[in-house]
Structures are given as C-alpha cells and as structure tokens.
C-alpha cells in the first residue's frame, strides 16, 4: 500500500510538472490581464501618466451612457443570428455528405472567408454592400432594382447585413467542415434503418442526423456566442466602423472607442469587465454542457 501510495503521489507530482508551463502562461496572459482590467476600471487613466482612483464612477457613467445600452441591444440582435449560423452549415454539410456534384468548387467558395481573415473580408464586404457596389449592380442587372438598397447607410439594414455576413457566411466554411467531421462518425446502419422505414430525407435529417451530432451542435453554439461577443471587432471596424451612427456599435467596439479614440482607459476597462462577465457566463454553461455530455457517455 505504501508503494502504491508513493507511486500515485509521484504520478500526481509529474502531472503538475507537465502542466506547470501551461498554468504559468494562463496566469501571465489571461488571469493577470483580467485582474488588472478590473482594477483599472476603478481609475481614471488615459493610458499614460498618473491614474486617479474614482471608485465606481466609471460604472455609474457606463450605466447612464446611451451608447452602452445601444451596444447591448446591437449585440443581442447579432446573437439572434446564431440559430441561422448553426442551421445553415449543418444543412449544407448534410447535403454534401450525400455526395453533391462539384463539391471541390463549393468547398473553395464556402471556405474562402476562413482563408482571407476578418479584416480582408470586412473590407471586401464594405465594397460589395456599398450603394453603388457590386451587390446592387448585380441586382439591378437582373431586373431586381427594387432590392438594390443602401445597405450600409440605414441602421437596420447595416445591423442585419452585419449579422448575415459575420454571423452566418463568415464562419460557414469552417462550420461545414466541422459538422461533416461530426457526421462521419454516425453509424450508417441508422440511415439504412431510416430508409427501410420509408423516412424521407428531412425526417432522417431531423431524427437521425441532428440527435447524433447533438454534442457538436452544443459546442458550436457556445463557440458562436464567444465569436460574436469577443472576436467581431476586426470585422466590424473594416465593414461599418460601428455605423451608421451607432447602428453596429457593439460592446467590443465600445472598448476600442473608449480606450483608443477617447483615450479613457479606465472607462474602457469598465466596458471590458462587462464583456468579461458575459463571456464568463457562456464559459460556465460550456463547462456544464461538457460535464453533462461526459455523464451521458
């Protein structure tokens, strides 16, 4: 028993040694910045020079700031595109799984945004969606001039264009690859049984495919929340710059605006603290889902 106990302690010690570099990196690049950000949110600081302690004044100012509540509303609207951003890649992946002709061409078109990156796609999208851009020119040439709208100058159109491009199309390629990989693990006998029972494609998709990749869907939903909450800034900056007005102004964009436009780092840290709380809530539910999935397995 003593030898077994000593062996367990030795293995435990070795495990801690192996993960020590990772823990150090997490402490330096994640834990410390989070603590420092919360600390700075109680100060008035321009990024240089002396920082003045002002307590909760930044939080009071934020709660009275109309742009803060506008950013919350815009962020919530963008989150509404998550179901579409999940369903579309799943449907395309299901069609491609059946052996769609010309798959290499479709794969190249769909995966293109993931290759180019957020900044380049944002710049290209801003050109495409201009009033005299390729999108309206194409609609007009097809006799659909009534649909040629001023996409980026009207608040509702700009926000919904952002939701469609960033929330759906931008991550469509990776989503298709992700769900194709998940579907490859489905037992073919389930589809054979559905065919024998006379189930149509849609019923097979809903009763066989969806339940079989449920865990992958849950992970993709959580990832989509994080993408919209904390990784949309490069695209928004190059696509609409938060406009027109504050139509596409999000929490993440507000951090940039307060810190690097108004040079109020303390106030920017206040916005960042709120964003951190939202991301922490999403992470909490992700951990709950992972534990739930482990228990089911």
């Amino acid at each position: 028993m003593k030898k077994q106990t000593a062996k367990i302690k030795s293995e435990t010690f070795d495990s801690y040694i192996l993960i020590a570099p990772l823990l150090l990196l997490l402490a330096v690049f994640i834990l410390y910045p989070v603590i420092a950000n919360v600390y700075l949110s109680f100060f008035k600081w321009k990024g240089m020079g002396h920082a003045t302690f002002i307590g909760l004044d930044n939080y009071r100012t934020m709660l009275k700031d109309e742009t803060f509540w506008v950013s919350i509303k815009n962020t919530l609207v963008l989150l509404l595109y998550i179901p579409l951003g999940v369903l579309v890649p799943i449907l395309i992946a299901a069609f491609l799984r059946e052996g769609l002709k010309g798959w290499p061409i479709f794969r190249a078109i769909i995966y293109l945004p993931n290759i180019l990156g957020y900044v380049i796609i944002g710049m290209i999208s801003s050109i495409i969606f201009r009033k005299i851009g390729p999108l309206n020119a194409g609609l007009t040439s097809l006799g659909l001039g009534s649909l040629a709208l001023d996409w980026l100058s009207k608040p509702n159109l700009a926000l919904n264009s952002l939701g469609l491009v960033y929330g759906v199309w931008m991550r469509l390629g990776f989503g298709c690859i992700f769900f194709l990989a998940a579907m490859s693990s489905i037992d073919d006998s389930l589809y054979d049984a559905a065919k024998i029972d006379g189930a149509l494609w849609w019923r097979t998709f809903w009763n066989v495919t969806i339940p079989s990749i449920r865990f992958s869907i849950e992970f993709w939903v959580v990832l989509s929340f994080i993408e919209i909450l904390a990784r949309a800034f490069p695209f928004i900056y190059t696509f609409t710059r938060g406009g027109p007005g504050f139509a596409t102004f999000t929490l993440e964009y507000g951090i940039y605006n307060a810190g690097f436009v108004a040079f109020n780092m303390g106030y920017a840290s206040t916005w960042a603290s709120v964003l951190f709380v939202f991301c922490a809530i999403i992470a909490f539910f992700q951990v709950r889902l992972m534990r739930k999935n482990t228990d089911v397995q």
Side-chain angles (χ1 to χ4, degrees):
M1 290 294 293
K2 290 183 178 180
K3 290 184 178 180
Q4 187 176 3
T5 303
K7 182 179 180 182
I8 293 174
K9 289 183 178 180
S10 177
E11 291 177 351
T12 303
F13 178 76
D14 291 342
S15 300
Y16 282 119
I17 291 296
L18 290 173
I19 65 173
L22 175 61
L23 293 177
L24 180 61
L25 290 174
L26 290 175
V28 173
F29 294 104
I30 295 181
L31 182 60
Y32 172 74
V34 169
I35 295 175
N37 177 82
V38 175
Y39 176 76
L40 286 175
S41 67
F42 298 104
F43 287 81
K44 183 178 181 180
W45 186 48
K46 294 183 178 181
M48 295 182 294
H50 178 70
T52 304
F53 180 78
I54 57 174
L56 296 174
D57 285 357
N58 281 331
Y59 289 92
R60 296 190 186 98
T61 302
M62 181 185 66
L63 294 176
K64 296 177 182 179
D65 191 344
E66 185 179 351
T67 59
F68 170 74
W69 297 107
V70 170
S71 70
I72 293 289
K73 178 187 74 70
N74 293 338
T75 302
L76 292 176
V77 171
L78 293 178
L79 292 177
L80 294 177
Y81 280 89
I82 289 179
L84 190 61
V86 174
L87 180 61
V88 172
I90 292 177
L91 285 173
I92 294 177
F95 282 121
L96 295 177
R97 188 180 183 277
E98 300 293 330
L100 183 67
K101 292 183 179 180
W103 156 236
I105 298 175
F106 287 108
R107 180 176 58 187
I109 296 173
I110 292 172
Y111 202 74
L112 183 63
N114 296 85
I115 298 175
L116 296 179
Y118 294 171
V119 173
I120 296 176
I121 290 297
M123 295 177 66
I124 294 174
S125 299
S126 68
I127 295 173
I128 292 174
F129 281 82
R130 287 176 183 173
K131 188 175 182 179
I132 55 173
L135 177 60
N136 284 344
L139 291 172
T140 303
S141 64
L142 293 174
L144 301 173
S146 59
L147 298 179
L149 305 174
D150 196 357
W151 302 98
L152 301 182
S153 296
K154 295 183 179 180
N156 289 333
L157 285 176
L159 183 59
N160 286 285
S161 297
L162 174 62
L164 285 172
V165 177
Y166 183 79
V168 181
W169 182 70
M170 185 75 184
R171 301 170 58 247
L172 182 60
F174 182 72
C176 290
I177 301 299
F178 176 79
F179 287 117
L180 272 172
M183 292 176 189
S184 65
S185 63
I186 302 176
D187 192 347
D188 290 334
S189 62
L190 296 175
Y191 289 103
D192 295 336
K195 289 180 181 179
I196 293 173
D197 291 339
L200 299 176
W201 186 90
W202 178 255
R203 184 172 293 276
T204 302
F205 171 78
W206 187 255
N207 293 327
V208 176
T209 304
I210 294 297
S212 299
I213 62 171
R214 180 171 62 89
F215 300 151
S216 298
I217 294 174
E218 291 173 352
F219 175 79
W220 189 256
V221 169
V222 172
L223 186 63
S224 299
F225 271 95
I226 300 299
E227 285 282 337
I228 290 177
L229 285 173
R231 296 190 63 187
F233 170 75
F235 183 82
I236 296 175
Y237 183 80
T238 52
F239 184 47
T240 62
R241 292 186 180 271
F246 295 98
T248 56
F249 199 88
T250 62
L251 274 172
E252 195 180 11
Y253 202 93
I255 297 171
Y256 160 78
N257 192 66
F260 298 97
V261 176
F263 293 101
N264 192 343
M265 294 297 178
Y267 190 50
S269 297
T270 307
W271 283 60
S273 298
V274 174
L275 181 59
F276 171 76
V277 170
F278 285 147
C279 292
I281 292 172
I282 300 301
F284 171 78
F285 282 108
Q286 182 183 14
V287 172
R288 291 288 300 272
L289 285 174
M290 292 173 63
R291 289 181 178 176
K292 180 182 177 181
N293 294 344
T294 302
D295 295 337
V296 171
Q297 292 175 353

